[in-house]
Amino acid sequence: MVRYEVTDGIAWLTIDRPEARNALSKDVREGLWAGTRRFVADDDAAVLVVTGAGDKAFCAGGDLKEMAETSLEVPPPDFLPQFGRNIDVPKPTIAAVNGVAYAGGFLLAQQCDLVVASDHARFAISEVKVGRGSPWAAPLSWLVPPRVALEILLTGDPLDAARAKAYGLVNHVVHACDLRDHTQSLARRIAANAPLSVRAAKQTAYLSAHHDLADAYDRAEEIWAPVYRSADAQEGPAAFRDKRTPVWKGR
């Protein structure tokens, strides 16, 4: 149901249930948990890409048939991995959105650090249309202007990829046939950088969501101090001086 593979230091976590638009069945959710934990522990993987099989859906959200059969009410905290909320993922993550990303599919894309979308991708928090909830959308008004967040949440209507990019929900929009190569190239550029600096940069970017400006500066100084003191911080300038490619040790 979920495949994990590493290509040139980039881990691809693929929901492989295209016949059900990659909906979040129990097996899929367990596969996402296993794949996320594997990536966090995988020293050979610098960046995680989350995507869906096929060309119609990234993930259509929860499996409504399964929800009806189990009479699911409030999903438990570990219903599926939410990066930075119920599992710490210090390395960068990218959503490669290859079709519809609705409800829980929107959640999966939202929680990734970067989003690359095919030009036919669609995004929606569609829970209001089926009487379900979306508490996981709490960070949305940090990602987009509050009035945009309200429209997305109140209508449940889908956004096309171009509009999602205009709002800042998507970094790049590409032709569907180019999605994997473009995402892999973006991930490789991240993976080529000093790993300690990359992880600290990710932490820094989220500080303003949790702290006021003065506290954010103080916390950023704490985050970056070990990076300044690392062997890689000496390797970078030395490689520049010697006109060679740096060899990062991650320490």
Side-chain angles (χ1 to χ4, degrees), residues 204 207 214-229:
T204 302
L207 286 175
D215 288 343
Y217 273 124
D218 290 342
R219 181 68 186 116
E221 294 287 353
E222 295 171 6
I223 290 169
W224 285 96
V227 179
Y228 283 125
R229 298 188 182 106

Side-chain angles (χ1 to χ4, degrees), residues 157-220:
D157 292 342
L159 304 174
D160 63 26
R163 193 175 179 203
K165 184 175 184 296
Y167 288 151
L169 284 169
V170 169
N171 296 87
H172 304 272
V173 177
V174 299
H175 293 304
C177 60
D178 297 326
L179 180 64
R180 186 177 181 96
D181 287 348
H182 187 96
T183 305
Q184 180 76 4
S185 176
L186 175 63
R188 279 179 182 152
R189 298 201 303 276
I190 295 170
N193 293 324
L196 296 180
S197 294
V198 167
R199 295 187 189 194
K202 172 173 173 169
Q203 286 183 273
T204 302
Y206 288 104
L207 286 175
S208 63
H210 307 289
H211 303 274
D212 63 31
L213 186 58
D215 288 343
Y217 273 124
D218 290 342
R219 181 68 186 116

Side-chain angles (χ1 to χ4, degrees), residues 234-245:
Q234 302 304 316
E235 168 65 6
F240 178 83
R241 178 198 61 204
D242 300 341
K243 299 181 180 179
R244 59 177 174 81
T245 301

